Amino acid sequence: MNYLVLAYYLFKDIKNPLEAVSQHKAFLKGRDVSSRIYISEQGINGQMSASRLDAIAYMEWLVNQEGFEEVTFKVHSSCENVFPHLTVKYRKQLVAIDREVDLSKRGEYLTPSEWRKALESNEKLLLIDVRNDYETAVGHFKGALLPPCKTFREFNGYADVLSENFAPDTRILMCCTGGIRCEVYSAVLKEKGFEDVSQLKGGIIQYGLDEGIAHWEGKLFVFDERLTIALDEQEESVTVGSCKHCSTLADIYYNCANMDCNDLFLCCKGCAKEHQGCCSDACKSASRLRLFNEESGPKPFRRKGQLLAK
Ligand SMILES: [Zn+2]
Ligand SMILES: [Zn+2]
């Protein structure tokens, strides 16, 4: 495992994000790196894989750049780069939710061990997973509320559903992959009138690094070529998720082989072969099909450097 996969973000005013983008590009040029890094006036949201040496060099470099001193990294190892390109871009919104959010109102942080303690207490609480439905379909905390949202934008409307169904003093615990969506969504729920909102610091990734799979079941969906990873490499978890065709337990994602569909769906190996990587019979008889290759497995299909799942 000679590569490291980094996940990190920081909300902090960046005076000149375009300059920060070019500094990143200059530093990363020629290195063994792949990434999806977004920088805005609000801060940075980064995911990266790199050879061990280049990853360490980058982490040291970034925290010495003005404005980025407080970035903390979540680190996994990998045997190769996991992003299709080296992407560093300016983006107006770090988290796409299409509304103004006052981040000073965000929820209290719970460290992974505090989170675990809260789950093990007898306290009455509402555990909300604020990831998209295809992410929670392969893994989540036991007993968590899994909203039927396909994109983070849909969580906007879901906040109304929550406030119609739960009292303002409900103790809410929320989690997402790396923590950045909770920063935003905890503030949204507080604006909606919820008084007791906490967020998992460092997200599910950090929880897995610190606490393993306690109270968790399944895999963790990630927005890179791995698609799903074990929350803790040392511990096997049960399979969560079911094959779209035959409903048996399945936790492998495929992009439908019909190029005009490309839908991301869970599928067992048998059905993937039988349906030639397609999500439905209609897709199987479509005119523009990618050749299904059983050997190479379900590498995600990409367009313009983005996983379609994004
Ligand atoms: Zn199946
Ligand atoms: Zn399809």
Side-chain angles (χ1 to χ4, degrees):
M1 302 284 245
N2 281 321
Y3 285 77
L4 297 179
V5 181
L6 314 179
Y8 54 101
Y9 71 85
L10 180 70
F11 281 108
K12 174 135 191 187
D13 291 349
I14 301 296
K15 278 184 220 105
N16 194 340
L18 289 174
E19 191 184 311
V21 167
S22 28
Q23 286 165 344
H24 264 78
K25 285 185 174 161
F27 181 82
L28 296 173
K29 196 176 174 193
R31 292 179 188 263
D32 189 2
V33 171
S34 73
S35 70
R36 205 176 282 132
I37 300 168
Y38 300 109
I39 301 174
S40 80
E41 282 83 2
Q42 300 175 298
I44 187 167
N45 185 15
Q47 293 173 278
M48 168 196 281
S49 67
S51 69
R52 198 168 279 272
L53 278 180
D54 283 331
I56 290 167
Y58 172 75
M59 289 189 275
E60 283 176 5
W61 173 79
L62 186 63
V63 295
N64 280 298
Q65 302 301 300
E66 196 189 336
F68 300 104
E69 296 89 343
E70 293 153 43
V71 171
T72 55
F73 296 91
K74 295 169 282 273
V75 184
H76 282 143
S77 50
S78 163
C79 50
E80 57 187 350
N81 275 321
V82 298
F83 295 95
H85 303 287
L86 175 61
T87 302
V88 186
K89 275 187 185 155
Y90 169 77
R91 205 181 236 188
K92 204 156 178 54
Q93 273 188 310
L94 277 194
V95 178
I97 193 163
D98 296 341
R99 65 179 279 164
E100 286 286 320
V101 179
D102 179 2
L103 286 176
S104 69
K105 291 208 181 95
R106 59 192 168 203
E108 297 288 313
Y109 289 120
L110 289 185
T111 64
S113 73
E114 289 166 340
W115 176 273
R116 182 174 178 173
K117 270 190 206 113
L119 297 189
E120 289 170 0
S121 72
N122 291 321
E123 253 181 299
K124 232 187 136 200
L125 44 84
L126 178 62
L127 184 58
I128 308 179
D129 193 319
V130 302
R131 297 174 301 146
N132 301 331
D133 57 3
Y134 54 81
E135 299 174 77
T136 56
V138 278
H140 49 76
F141 282 104
K142 286 172 202 161
L145 179 63
L146 309 176
C149 299
K150 296 207 173 335
T151 65
F152 192 56
R153 286 183 178 87
E154 291 182 21
F155 275 88
N156 252 330
Y158 194 75
D160 295 322
V161 176
L162 290 171
S163 58
E164 281 156 24
N165 287 284
F166 297 95
D169 63 351
T170 305
R171 174 149 165 72
I172 294 179
L173 264 60
M174 68 167 70
C175 65
C176 65
T177 315
I180 192 168
R181 284 178 276 186
C182 288
E183 300 274 7
V184 174
Y185 202 58
S186 61
V188 170
L189 290 194
K190 287 178 85 177
E191 278 172 17
K192 287 278 168 198
F194 288 105
E195 298 147 8
D196 189 356
V197 183
S198 298
Q199 52 176 328
L200 176 55
K201 191 165 185 351
I204 298 162
I205 295 177
Q206 191 62 50
Y207 184 89
L209 292 169
D210 292 359
E211 302 293 329
I213 60 170
H215 308 288
W216 173 268
E217 50 193 12
K219 287 184 174 171
L220 177 62
F221 187 95
V222 288
F223 289 96
D224 61 53
E225 291 183 344
R226 298 168 300 168
L227 285 175
T228 59
I229 57 172
L231 192 58
D232 179 350
E233 275 163 19
Q234 317 304 325
E235 285 180 278
E236 274 283 321
S237 184
V238 294
T239 299
V240 165
S242 56
C243 173
K244 183 163 183 180
H245 293 292
C246 73
S247 300
T248 56
L249 287 173
D251 58 7
I252 301 174
Y253 267 114
Y254 292 80
N255 272 123
C256 179
N258 172 12
M259 293 184 221
D260 298 308
C261 170
N262 283 321
D263 207 18
L264 195 68
F265 66 104
L266 287 170
C267 193
C268 74
K269 283 195 172 142
C271 289
K273 191 177 175 194
E274 188 187 329
H275 295 268
Q276 292 293 292
C278 289
C279 76
S280 67
D281 287 337
C283 282
K284 200 175 167 186
S285 53
S287 57
R288 302 202 313 136
L289 292 179
R290 268 187 300 275
L291 210 57
F292 177 70
N293 185 340
E294 205 188 340
E295 304 300 302
S296 70
K299 277 251 168 184
F301 171 67
R302 339 183 259 259
R303 186 160 49 204
K304 292 180 192 153
Q306 291 285 324
L307 286 183
L308 285 169
K310 189 90 195 226

